[in-house]
Amino acid sequence: MAPVEYVLEHFYYGQLNAQGELRLLAASPGVKTGHVSEAMHEARLPQLNGTPKGALALVRGKTIPFILVQAMPTSSSQALRHFVLLPVDVMRSLGGNLSALLTLVHDEAPPFGRTGRTLALLKLEAEQAAPEAQEDAMIALMAATRDRLDVIEALLAAIIQSVPIVVQDAPADLVTRLQFIEGLLALLPPPARFGVTFATHSMTNNRLEAQIRFMGDEAPPEGALVYHWQDARVTGKKVKDEYSRFIKSQLRLDTGLVLQQTTALTAVAAWRIKRGDSLADALKYAAYRLKLDNAVLNSQPVATSEVARALAEDPTLTEELRAAYVRHLLAFTLALDEMSHADLLAVLVRGQPDLERVVLQQMNDALVNGKAEAVYKTL
């Protein structure tokens, strides 16, 4: 899929010099006073000294869908932040590709000799990361956690169950911290990635709401899961989650397999989220559906009631899967003389020539194999 180009409003807020007052320094034409006040209230990111790019955060606003803020290091030690206003569509298009946001990040602070300058709109080409880049992010995550899959499971479960994550004593490098977050996001289907917020630097008294926060060795907030980078362990609030357990089982095999699975779950997760499910419930169902698909496609035992319910209710089944589900259901109807699902099949296949052919072929095969009575009862 080709990248989508967006134009973005942005502004700089800070001091003209180390002794100056905090003020609006420059802004693009569409930035309003309310945008500035809201961004400063919701995204007051502290500076992280000693790093080339400073700190970066992505948070939700009250009226602004997402706010990207960089707290920039300056040669004269004045406070300076760059705010970019991001619509929801941008984050959806990125699908967890946080590296693309680095094109909006300054290596050094631009000079400001005066206030009131009008800025040109920023341009951002948004697209999901290539499969290879997503796998690289997963591998980097596994390296950072020293291949401790139980730790990755706990971190992923916290994201899904909306438990705040605090990462302590991580390397200060911005790219390393972003890649850690990207690795976690790559374990989610793309529709579930865009809403995860983060701050690559934070302090306990910092007024900034982000689901993943990087901190030093100060006491983390209550109710958070804490990842200790130096010895790759988690403490604090641990929660269980079925999707995370499923992904852990796939990671034991291959990161490429995880990527295939998250891609396969995209439509299912998106459907459940759109119908109002929580992220946890949507991903729980998505993992369940994948297991159900595999069981049906591999002719493994599975309750006919579950197959029938998915066939009747789930609009994300592909034509291939719908045919496989019909074959599975009809096979059990004929083999076990269970007529309870025959009426459902009749309704589902009516007016769908491909599925009607599947049923007719299976009926013919049953007749050839001496199951005329079962075919008669089914009809």
Side-chain angles (χ1 to χ4, degrees):
M1 180 178 280
V4 180
E5 185 175 88
Y6 293 92
V7 289
L8 307 170
E9 302 286 353
H10 66 120
F11 66 92
Y12 294 89
Y13 196 95
Q15 300 168 293
L16 285 175
N17 54 62
Q19 287 75 43
E21 294 181 358
L22 290 171
R23 64 183 70 188
L24 179 64
L25 300 177
S28 57
V31 173
K32 310 300 182 187
T33 302
H35 294 149
V36 176
S37 300
E38 182 176 339
M40 285 301 296
H41 185 270
E42 303 294 335
R44 193 182 284 267
L45 179 66
Q47 287 180 289
L48 179 61
N49 297 321
T51 58
K53 298 178 187 295
L56 189 70
L58 176 74
V59 301
R60 289 181 180 272
K62 299 297 183 185
T63 63
I64 307 166
F66 290 95
I67 304 167
L68 181 73
V69 53
Q70 180 190 8
M72 291 176 285
T74 61
S75 57
S76 54
S77 301
Q78 76 261 37
L80 181 61
R81 297 181 181 92
H82 182 208
F83 295 88
V84 184
L85 313 185
L86 298 175
V88 171
D89 286 348
V90 172
M91 299 310 300
R92 289 190 192 277
S93 297
L94 289 172
N97 182 12
L98 303 184
S99 295
L101 296 177
L102 289 175
T103 61
L104 305 176
V105 170
H106 293 283
D107 289 330
E108 58 183 39
F112 291 99
R114 59 181 178 83
T115 62
R117 201 171 89 206
T118 300
L119 303 170
L121 294 170
L122 290 176
K123 292 184 179 181
L124 174 68
E125 290 194 346
E127 63 179 335
Q128 288 185 28
E132 298 80 9
Q134 294 183 54
E135 279 198 67
D136 287 345
M138 290 184 208
I139 292 169
L141 173 67
M142 294 179 72
T145 56
R146 303 179 192 175
D147 293 327
R148 291 194 57 184
L149 299 185
D150 58 324
V151 169
I152 294 175
E153 179 186 3
L155 290 166
L156 185 60
I159 290 176
I160 294 169
Q161 299 290 340
S162 299
V163 174
I165 295 173
V166 170
V167 182
Q168 287 193 322
D169 297 321
D173 176 62
L174 176 61
V175 174
T176 299
R177 295 186 175 194
L178 279 183
Q179 196 168 44
F180 180 84
I181 302 169
E182 281 187 312
L184 288 170
L185 296 183
L187 302 178
L188 296 167
R193 298 173 186 170
F194 80 94
V196 178
T197 56
F198 65 86
T200 65
H201 176 51
S202 183
M203 295 181 290
T204 303
N205 60 356
N206 182 214
R207 188 178 64 221
L208 185 128
E209 295 294 329
Q211 189 168 5
I212 303 174
R213 298 167 65 182
F214 286 76
M215 300 177 66
D217 57 3
E218 58 189 298
E222 292 185 6
L225 178 74
V226 183
Y227 175 64
H228 305 268
W229 190 287
Q230 297 303 318
D231 51 7
R233 62 186 176 90
V234 288
T235 59
K237 186 175 181 180
K238 300 178 186 179
V239 291
K240 299 293 185 182
D241 179 75
E242 291 189 24
Y243 176 85
S244 303
R245 190 179 306 117
F246 168 73
I247 289 297
K248 175 185 173 182
S249 69
Q250 304 304 295
L251 271 175
R252 292 185 191 279
L253 303 175
D254 181 29
T255 54
L257 179 61
V258 173
L259 193 56
Q260 291 176 20
Q261 305 290 37
T262 57
T263 301
L265 293 173
T266 296
V268 183
W271 166 58
R272 298 294 291 207
I273 290 170
K274 285 180 181 177
R275 58 172 268 175
D277 283 10
S278 67
L279 177 60
D281 288 342
L283 294 180
K284 177 181 177 181
Y285 177 80
Y288 156 79
R289 242 293 307 279
L290 191 57
K291 292 177 183 177
L292 190 62
D293 292 350
N294 290 334
V296 169
L297 291 172
N298 293 293
S299 301
Q300 296 174 351
V302 61
T304 54
S305 60
E306 296 183 28
V307 176
R309 184 167 58 251
L311 192 56
E313 300 175 359
D314 194 331
T316 67
L317 287 169
T318 63
E319 291 302 315
E320 178 188 2
L321 282 171
R322 288 179 67 82
Y325 273 55
V326 166
R327 280 193 293 269
H328 184 94
L329 204 55
L330 185 54
F332 274 83
T333 298
L334 294 170
L336 303 178
D337 202 22
E338 288 187 2
M339 296 298 112
S340 57
H341 300 305
D343 290 341
L344 173 64
L345 281 173
V347 171
L348 290 173
V349 305
R350 185 177 297 126
Q352 299 191 57
D354 290 342
L355 294 182
E356 289 174 348
R357 280 192 288 272
V358 169
V359 171
L360 286 174
Q361 182 61 53
Q362 205 159 348
M363 292 283 198
N364 286 331
D365 292 344
L367 287 172
V368 170
N369 292 322
K371 295 183 178 180
E373 183 177 355
V375 171
Y376 177 76
K377 288 182 180 179
T378 304
L379 292 172

